[in-house]
Amino acid sequence: MKTIKTITKIIWIILLVLMVITLFMGGFMPLFSIAFGFLFLYYLIIYILILVFYNQTQKTYKYFICLLLIIPIIFTLIDFETFFDFLLQTVHLDMK
């Protein structure tokens, strides 16, 4: 569980840096900042779950948290554009 906690912190730092960098870029890059912000909140929820289940000895919690940790990474590797569209469903752009 300690390694999962460390991996979550590393992903946090990477997403925070990406979120801040893309926020200050021009054009459509702030949209990426919104997507990175959603992922940052997702991994924050996973980190809170790790803190809640940290002292639990059941392996089902550990496997569940590992699955939650890996799902966005797998979807990103399969098709980044679809995953990006999924994260930004509520943002409507009119390209006229």
Side-chain angles (χ1 to χ4, degrees), residues 65-96:
I65 291 174
C66 284
L67 182 68
L68 288 176
L69 187 75
I70 292 174
I71 286 174
I73 297 170
I74 290 173
F75 283 142
T76 303
L77 291 175
I78 292 172
D79 190 8
F80 179 74
E81 185 176 352
T82 305
F83 185 64
F84 179 73
D85 289 338
F86 171 73
L87 288 175
L88 297 176
Q89 287 180 24
T90 59
V91 179
H92 300 288
L93 296 173
D94 189 14
M95 300 297 286
K96 292 181 183 179

